[in-house]
Amino acid sequence: MGNQVNTLPPEKIEELEETTHFNEREIKHLLQRYAGYDSSPSGSEGIPLEVVLNSPELCGTPFARRLTWWYLKDGTEKLHPTDYLRLLSVLSERATYEEKSKALFQSLDLHNEGFVRFDELFRLFKSIFTPALSDAQIVDFVQNILQDEDLRERGVMDYEEFVKLISPHELHEKMTIDLRLSA
């Protein structure tokens, strides 16, 4: 630990101020947290997926695994500093419903096709409704959703149709973490 990740160049920190919900002080604070998880000397190896998911920030967050996978763009199963900050930003209290719903949809759209299918929706609703509903009940629920006559194409759901399913309250509850950034 004790790597140099918290010394990102000023232009990178400025970019992160523009693309996340964090100011310079908060970015530096979160980068210090990141450095505690990335044990490489330079902070360039990234945080392993399981370390990210077991971190106090994300532990117990229902969609953490799905969202974190979406931010692991290089196939290494390690999260790098800028993606770590972007993930925390979308999960922060400051992120809007639209930001959260788009991030969730994109994380479910495994093939980047602009729609989600049965498997993705089943996993989503299983994470929301277990243990209240059985797998069989969730299967029936998802099948009914995907056979709705109002869908543009039966069997798949695009983003506009998806947001009609997810209440702002439910999304906020499942996708908001307390980052404890106040001074």
Side-chain angles (χ1 to χ4, degrees):
M1 299 194 209
N3 60 48
Q4 299 300 310
V5 75
N6 59 351
T7 59
L8 287 176
E11 60 273 6
K12 190 52 133 174
I13 290 178
E14 200 172 290
E15 175 192 323
L16 288 166
E17 281 184 274
E18 293 174 16
T19 60
T20 68
H21 292 285
F22 308 125
N23 62 37
E24 180 180 1
R25 180 190 61 77
E26 293 167 332
I27 290 169
K28 288 179 178 179
H29 177 77
L30 291 169
L31 287 173
Q32 288 176 339
R33 284 189 203 177
Y34 176 91
Y37 299 129
D38 184 346
S39 59
S40 65
S42 65
S44 60
E45 288 184 20
I47 308 171
L49 175 63
E50 291 308 316
V51 172
V52 174
L53 295 176
N54 290 316
S55 69
E57 295 89 353
L58 297 181
C59 191
T61 304
F63 304 136
R65 180 172 295 277
R66 174 79 53 194
L67 289 166
T68 303
W69 266 108
W70 189 71
Y71 283 96
L72 299 173
K73 295 182 172 121
D74 63 3
T76 64
E77 292 192 22
K78 292 187 176 184
L79 197 62
H80 298 283
T82 54
D83 292 324
Y84 175 76
L85 287 164
R86 288 184 178 114
L87 171 64
L88 294 182
S89 180
V90 81
L91 291 171
S92 75
E93 179 76 34
R94 300 170 188 163
T96 66
Y97 170 75
E98 184 177 358
E99 290 170 310
K100 289 178 184 291
S101 63
K102 280 184 179 178
L104 181 58
F105 183 82
Q106 290 170 334
S107 74
L108 292 169
D109 182 8
L110 300 177
H111 305 290
N112 203 24
E113 300 169 308
F115 54 82
V116 292
R117 301 172 187 272
F118 174 85
D119 289 345
E120 292 100 355
L121 289 174
F122 175 80
R123 286 187 197 99
L124 170 70
F125 289 115
K126 184 172 175 79
S127 70
I128 293 173
F129 295 127
T130 298
L133 298 178
S134 69
D135 282 0
Q137 290 171 308
I138 296 170
V139 165
D140 288 344
F141 180 68
V142 173
Q143 285 176 336
N144 286 336
I145 289 170
L146 291 176
Q147 294 307 311
D148 190 296
E149 292 179 11
D150 292 335
L151 292 178
R152 288 180 185 91
E153 182 180 342
R154 285 194 183 175
V156 298
M157 181 174 284
D158 65 23
Y159 173 73
E160 290 175 12
E161 296 163 332
F162 175 77
V163 294
K164 293 175 187 174
L165 285 179
I166 309 294
S167 80
H169 173 75
E170 183 80 21
L171 191 66
H172 179 80
E173 183 180 291
K174 302 276 187 200
M175 283 186 63
T176 302
I177 59 176
D178 182 6
L179 293 170
R180 298 190 165 118
L181 293 173
S182 338

